[in-house]
């Protein structure tokens, strides 16, 4: 597959603080690449450097095979950006906002009309097109923000935390919209600190911490980095110390935690440990209320690699 | 692309209540207040000469040309002022007792005035002294060059000076008839127009902020678009300028034809100076927006402060122009508000337009300098932080 973005040894510092530290990665045509990391890990800075908004000390950035620069208008014309903060005119209607930003890319008025209508449809704002941003809920405003960034049908889209502080309905709408953009052929760079979104959306993930890549690969490749393969959680009211130590002796159990009536058992191997656990509880006459199994998440991977939680 | 951006910038601006209030509504509201406050003054359209003193000491008497010319302004039915000749001590006493509005004295080759308060009479006195000094110097220069030309020959010095007076009186600007000098209402409205022009700084600062990725999110979005920065900036500034210029023309016509303010017979030049003044203000706002490395709100406060201080120096708030002319003479020579008000005064007081064109030219020059400096800074394409 063709590389749409090539980043080589990108380094960006603010005084003595390295926000992006010798970062190198590629984004392939048609994929959704997730840049995952906690706040301050350098996701937005990396994006702004790629977009030539920020100066950087070292590195090379190529987009569509050409070096990216502030005046690389041919490259810019194929890029759509949805910034983390809502960037619209309060004084223009929903339609006016989309038309204005689309007009910075598309001269042809008729084509623009069609594109604006398509964008309205994609984000589900057809019924709100005459409203002003102040009349929209937070979720609808985020959708407008997205529509303004992608109305011109770019082939490369940057989405910087587009679902922050969004209601579940709008979040679903946004995620569906992003999938549709990918299905229509766009390459997408998606920065977020919501691991669930990355798992749902992204073909490939780069995990950042302190401006460095600490892991990259597909969801499965990354999860393989975690030392656990499955987690079983059991709600148990009372547990004697000898009963607790008994869990540690079960095959493939790597870790046991018991806190406030919740027992968490991590397995280093195996994918169907739930049935064995139910059997164990029955045999040892341990009463439980709820029991469920989970596969490791990217948060577990992050925890494994950095010793801290993604949302810390 | 330019007109697309211009259309939407203007549309957004027209719906920005705050901006429309300060640039359009506020000057009209002030005009109405001024009209109410000065309504009674219309009853005093007949000019009343005011009292001044001239310190008639040896130093003053040395400059005969000035003395003769200046004293003529205090003679006849159409005199500007009632002159009392006195010594320095007595003149000071008269001023302190409020019996005169000011006095004139010689300091070396120069003529100075001393005033206690700021007002129209003091402005008239200052302009009269400036005008007569200028004319006297020209007469002297012409006469001396004529004498030099005829060196070694017998010359009629009196005839040479008479001829020089004739030349100067035909070519030099003259203070117009007294009714113009008298019109304090016009002076206040000129200051109002100048202040309204300066709202352009606030407007252009706001328009610039929209284009700058390190200030607003909209600026970031604009910066990643394949549109040249110059197109975006110029279309935004033109949108702001359009609103300002139309509101200024409306203000001039409203005050002239609805409120009946006397602006003289040169309305096109009054409009031209408003256009140049608002251009300078627009460039000033652009420049401040570009060079100030601070938040959007802080920038707006600084721009408002700069324009308000400029307005204060130029006499917008209670006739402080003279005070600042004395204290910081350089400031009003380069302050846009000072240049606009001075341009209007000169248009109103003098038949000759030289001073008006100097003010207009200075405004254009300042605009050009601010534009070049802003563009230099704006050409930086990437930011250290956003």
């Amino acid at each position: 597959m063709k590389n749409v973005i090539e980043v080589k040894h990108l380094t960006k510092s603010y005084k003595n603080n390295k926000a992006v530290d010798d970062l190198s990665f590629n984004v392939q045509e048609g994929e959704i690449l997730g840049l995952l990391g906690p706040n301050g890990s350098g996701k937005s800075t990396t994006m702004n450097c790629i977009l030539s908004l920020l100066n950087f000390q070292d590195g090379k950035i190529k987009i569509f095979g050409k070096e990216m620069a502030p005046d690389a208008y041919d490259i810019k014309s194929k890029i759509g950006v949805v910034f983390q903060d809502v960037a619209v005119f309060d004084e223009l209607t929903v339609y006016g906002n989309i038309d204005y930003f689309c007009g910075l890319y598309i001269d042809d008025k008729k084509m623009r009309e069609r594109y604006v209508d398509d964008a309205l449809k994609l984000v589900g704002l057809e019924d709100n097109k005459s409203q002003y941003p102040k009349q929209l809920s937070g979720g609808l405003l985020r959708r407008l923000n997205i529509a303004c960034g992608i109305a011109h049908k770019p082939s490369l889209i940057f989405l910087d935390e587009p679902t922050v502080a969004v209601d579940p309905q709008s979040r679903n709408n946004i995620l569906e919209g992003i999938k549709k953009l990918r299905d229509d052929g766009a390459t997408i760079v998606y920065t977020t600190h919501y691991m669930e979104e990355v798992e749902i959306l992204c073909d490939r993930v780069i995990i950042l911490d302190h401006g460095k890549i600490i892991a990259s690969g597909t969801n499965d490749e990354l999860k393989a980095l975690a030392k656990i393969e499955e987690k079983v959680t059991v709600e148990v009211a009372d547990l004697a110390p000898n009963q607790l130590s008994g869990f540690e002796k079960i095959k493939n159990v790597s870790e046991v935690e018991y806190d406030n009536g919740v027992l968490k058992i991590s397995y280093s191997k195996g994918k169907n440990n739930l049935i064995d656990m139910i059997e164990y509880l029955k045999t040892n006459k341990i009463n439980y209320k709820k029991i469920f199994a989970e596969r490791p998440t990217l948060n577990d991977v992050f925890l494994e690699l950095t010793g801290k939680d993604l949302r810390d | 692309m330019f007109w697309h951006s211009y259309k939407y910038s203007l549309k957004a601006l027209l719906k920005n209540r705050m901006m429309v209030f300060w640039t359009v509504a506020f000057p009209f509201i002030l005009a109405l207040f001024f009209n109410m406050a000065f309504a009674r003054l219309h009853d005093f359209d007949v000019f009343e000469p005011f009292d001044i003193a001239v310190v008639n000491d040896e130093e003053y008497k040395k400059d005969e040309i000035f003395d003769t010319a200046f004293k003529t302004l205090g003679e006849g039915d159409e005199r500007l002022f009632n002159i009392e000749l006195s010594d320095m001590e007595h003149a000071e006493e008269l001023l302190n007792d409020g019996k005169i509005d000011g006095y004139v004295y010689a300091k070396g080759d120069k003529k100075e005035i001393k005033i206690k308060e700021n007002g129209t009479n003091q402005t008239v006195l200052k302009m009269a002294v400036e005008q007569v000094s200028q004319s006297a110097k020209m007469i002297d220069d012409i006469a001396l060059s004529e004498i030099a030309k005829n060196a070694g020959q017998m010359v009629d010095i009196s005839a040479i000076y008479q001829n020089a007076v004739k030349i100067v009186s035909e070519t030099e600007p003259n203070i117009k008839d007294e009714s113009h000098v008298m019109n304090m209402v016009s002076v206040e409205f000129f200051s109002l127009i100048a202040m309204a022009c300066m709202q352009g700084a606030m407007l252009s600062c706001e328009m610039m902020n929209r284009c700058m990725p390190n200030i607003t999110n909209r600026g970031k979005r604009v910066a990643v678009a394949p549109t040249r920065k110059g197109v975006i900036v110029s279309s935004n500034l033109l949108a702001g300028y359009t609103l300002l210029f139309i509101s200024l023309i409306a203000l001039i016509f409203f005050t002239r034809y609805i409120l009946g303010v006397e602006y003289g017979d040169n309305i096109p030049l009054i409009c031209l100076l408003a256009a140049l003044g608002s251009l300078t203000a627009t460039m000033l706002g652009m420049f401040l927006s570009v060079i100030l490395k601070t938040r959007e709100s802080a920038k707006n406060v600084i721009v408002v402060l700069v324009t308000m201080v400029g307005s204060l120096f130029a006499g917008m708030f209670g006739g402080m122009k003279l005070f600042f002319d004395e204290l910081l003479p350089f400031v009003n020579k380069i302050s846009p508000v000072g240049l606009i008000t001075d341009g209007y005064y000169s248009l109103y007081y003098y038949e000759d337009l030289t001073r008006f064109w100097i003010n207009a030219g200075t405004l254009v020059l300042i605009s050009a300098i601010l534009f070049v400096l802003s563009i230099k800074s704006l050409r930086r394409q990437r930011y250290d932080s956003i």
Side-chain angles (χ1 to χ4, degrees), chain A residues 49-239:
Chain A
C49 287
I50 294 174
L51 291 168
S52 265
L53 286 172
L54 280 176
N55 278 325
F56 46 88
Q57 282 72 33
D58 203 7
K60 284 237 182 294
I61 294 163
K62 279 187 177 179
I63 301 181
F64 301 117
K66 292 179 188 169
E67 194 153 326
M68 182 58 175
D71 56 355
Y73 300 118
D74 54 334
I75 298 175
K76 284 183 167 185
S77 65
K78 294 181 215 162
I79 297 178
V81 187
V82 177
F83 290 102
Q84 189 173 348
D85 298 310
V86 174
V88 296
F89 285 93
D90 287 339
E91 303 88 357
L92 297 179
T93 60
V94 165
Y95 189 94
N97 266 295
I98 304 172
D99 188 44
Y100 170 66
F101 289 112
C102 188
L104 300 179
Y105 297 78
I106 309 287
D107 259 336
D108 187 288
K109 209 176 168 188
K110 280 196 174 160
M111 186 196 269
R112 205 165 68 226
E113 271 173 25
R114 211 174 58 239
Y115 280 18
V116 174
D117 286 339
D118 288 348
L120 282 167
K121 231 177 268 171
L122 181 85
V123 297
L125 284 177
E126 301 106 305
D127 298 334
N128 308 83
K129 64 180 183 184
S130 312
Q131 287 183 307
Y132 286 90
K134 279 189 179 164
Q135 297 170 297
L136 302 177
S137 67
L140 295 185
L141 199 58
R142 288 264 161 199
R143 294 198 216 174
L144 170 61
N145 196 38
I146 292 173
C148 290
I150 53 91
H152 56 287
K153 297 193 191 292
S155 49
L156 171 62
I157 302 169
F158 289 86
L159 294 140
D160 190 6
E161 312 237 15
T163 57
V164 170
V166 161
D167 59 278
Q169 193 197 343
S170 283
R171 174 177 290 206
N172 288 339
N173 176 289
I174 290 168
L175 297 181
E176 286 307 314
I178 292 166
K179 279 182 190 167
K180 182 157 189 325
L181 289 169
R182 192 261 312 270
D183 295 343
D184 290 345
T187 305
I188 296 169
V189 178
Y190 190 85
T191 76
T192 183
H193 61 269
Y194 293 133
M195 57 192 172
E196 306 86 351
E197 291 180 1
V198 168
E199 288 186 38
I200 296 169
L201 276 180
C202 299
D203 303 308
R204 218 155 50 85
V205 183
I206 289 175
I207 302 181
L208 292 174
D209 191 38
H210 294 302
K212 285 187 172 175
I213 295 177
I214 55 166
S216 67
T218 62
N219 276 311
D220 287 339
E221 282 168 355
L222 288 172
K223 284 175 188 172
L225 295 173
K227 281 181 185 163
I228 56 170
E229 196 145 307
E230 192 170 37
K231 277 195 298 187
V232 174
T233 306
V234 193
E235 276 189 28
V236 189
D238 291 308
L239 211 53

Side-chain angles (χ1 to χ4, degrees), chain A residues 12 55 76 99 103 132 145, chain B residues 1 8 15 221 223 383-384:
Chain A
K12 162 76 186 167
N55 278 325
K76 284 183 167 185
D99 188 44
Y132 286 90
N145 196 38
Chain B
M1 216 69 92
Y8 273 111
K15 293 209 170 149
R221 212 194 267 292
Y383 295 83
D384 291 329

Side-chain angles (χ1 to χ4, degrees), chain B residues 101-160:
Chain B
D101 287 319
Y103 65 83
V104 183
Y105 63 99
K107 192 177 176 188
D109 289 344
K110 282 188 171 176
K111 303 295 172 295
E112 304 276 350
I113 64 162
K114 176 92 184 273
I115 53 172
K116 208 175 156 191
E117 290 166 359
N118 293 288
T120 309
N121 289 350
Q122 286 81 358
T123 307
V124 171
L125 175 60
K126 182 173 184 279
M127 297 192 87
V129 170
E130 272 179 16
Q131 182 62 44
V132 176
S133 297
Q134 198 178 325
S135 301
K137 191 174 177 311
M138 285 187 74
I139 291 167
D140 222 20
D141 289 349
I142 293 168
L144 288 174
S145 94
E146 197 59 32
I147 292 166
K149 266 189 218 165
N150 299 305
Q153 294 175 34
M154 282 287 286
V155 288
D156 183 351
I157 291 179
S158 161
I160 286 174

